[in-house]
Amino acid sequence: EIVVPEANHATKTLLLQTKIEKAPKIQENVFMPELQDGVLKRIFYARKSEGDRMSGVIIQEFNDGQLSQLINAKTAEWDKDRWIFRNGTTYFLSDTGEYKHIIKFEEQYITLKLSPADLYAGNKNPEDMNFRSLRDYINLKKKMGENVVDLSIQLNMKLAIPFACFVFALLGAPLGLNPTRKSSSIGLGISVIIIFVYYVLMFVGMAAGELEVISPFIAAWLPNVATASIGGWILYKAGQ
């Protein structure tokens, strides 16, 4: 939840920076939204990006979900930790959506969270995000009108898979109560079978969830519920 997402992101960023330094990649129609506390804060667009330079840059700034500022620049260049926008215009909008002020500039420094490496990162992987980041990412994708079923399943899996440790402990306790060699071998065999069933149910649940036959929550928690039911039944029989 803390170390792995940060490590994956750092690794990807380092690899991308290395590729950019060796051979700048040309990318067209770059679109990157930015969230703050789950709320859309900024939409970044560039018609063309090559290395640490961009052309045809448009930035839309939002305040409480409403467009408040629009920046249109001919070019932009990365300078250490910020962008230098050149030959552009800043439009300030009122609450009613009308233009309040228009300011033209030849050069302006703008601080963004997006670095050149982030522009080539593309869509984020659920493995590179913790629970909160993935939840915010899903909310953003919803606002963009994209299908988030698969991401919602991955979000629920971040809780369901760690909870499986408790399920397997509930299952293993009654199987290990009898210390005889024969019952231990049987218990081991039953454990292997049930764990195999758990993974089969996990893949079946994910497939059914992606097909929208069941909800993402049920798709992620189905293996735990089924396995816990079996473990509870075995524990009840062992207590008789």
Side-chain angles (χ1 to χ4, degrees):
E1 183 70 6
I2 298 176
V3 177
V4 175
E6 291 295 331
N8 287 344
H9 178 71
T11 302
K12 183 181 294 185
T13 301
L14 181 60
L15 291 174
L16 289 171
Q17 287 176 344
T18 303
K19 291 181 180 179
I20 291 174
E21 290 175 359
K22 290 183 177 179
K25 179 182 177 181
I26 299 176
Q27 190 174 5
E28 296 183 352
N29 297 322
V30 179
F31 177 84
M32 294 288 289
E34 183 181 331
L35 289 174
Q36 185 176 22
D37 298 327
V39 179
L40 183 63
K41 178 183 178 182
R42 181 183 291 116
I43 295 179
F44 178 90
Y45 171 81
R47 186 180 67 253
K48 184 178 180 181
S49 175
E50 183 176 1
D52 57 357
R53 296 182 179 181
M54 299 179 296
S55 59
V57 183
I58 299 175
I59 297 180
Q60 294 177 326
E61 300 278 354
F62 291 85
N63 186 15
D64 295 330
Q66 186 174 359
L67 183 63
S68 61
Q69 182 176 319
L70 180 66
I71 302 175
N72 190 348
K74 186 175 181 180
T75 61
E77 185 176 353
W78 179 254
D79 182 24
K80 296 181 180 180
D81 58 349
R82 56 184 179 176
W83 291 95
I84 305 177
F85 285 68
R86 295 187 172 93
N87 300 323
T89 306
T90 302
Y91 303 89
F92 297 92
L93 281 72
S94 64
D95 296 336
T96 59
E98 300 177 350
Y99 292 118
K100 293 192 304 183
H101 305 287
I102 299 177
I103 300 176
K104 294 183 178 294
F105 60 87
E106 294 183 359
E107 185 174 288
Q108 181 177 351
Y109 286 86
I110 299 179
T111 302
L112 299 174
K113 292 183 179 180
L114 301 175
S115 65
D118 294 327
L119 298 178
Y120 299 109
N123 291 329
K124 297 180 181 178
N125 294 321
E127 295 82 6
D128 298 338
M129 295 178 280
N130 56 28
F131 184 87
R132 181 177 179 180
S133 299
L134 180 56
R135 182 185 60 193
D136 292 343
Y137 186 66
I138 290 174
N139 292 333
L140 173 62
K141 289 294 185 179
K142 286 182 179 179
K143 293 179 179 179
M144 296 169 60
E146 297 187 16
N147 191 320
V148 295
V149 172
D150 182 60
L151 293 174
S152 297
I153 295 175
Q154 296 295 329
L155 179 67
N156 284 278
M157 293 289 286
K158 285 185 176 292
L159 296 178
I161 290 181
F163 191 82
C165 298
F166 169 75
V167 173
F168 289 144
L170 178 65
L171 177 65
L175 296 177
L177 289 177
N178 196 325
T180 61
R181 180 181 298 274
K182 181 178 179 180
S183 63
S184 298
S185 301
I186 295 175
L188 178 61
I190 295 175
S191 299
V192 172
I193 293 174
I194 294 178
I195 292 175
F196 175 76
V197 171
Y198 175 88
Y199 281 104
V200 171
L201 288 174
M202 183 174 68
F203 287 112
V204 170
M206 292 179 64
E210 292 175 356
L211 294 174
E212 300 186 20
V213 177
I214 57 178
S215 67
F217 178 82
I218 296 177
W221 287 92
L222 177 63
N224 284 344
V225 174
T227 309
S229 300
I230 297 174
W233 181 81
I234 296 176
L235 184 61
Y236 171 77
K237 297 295 292 185
Q240 297 297 314

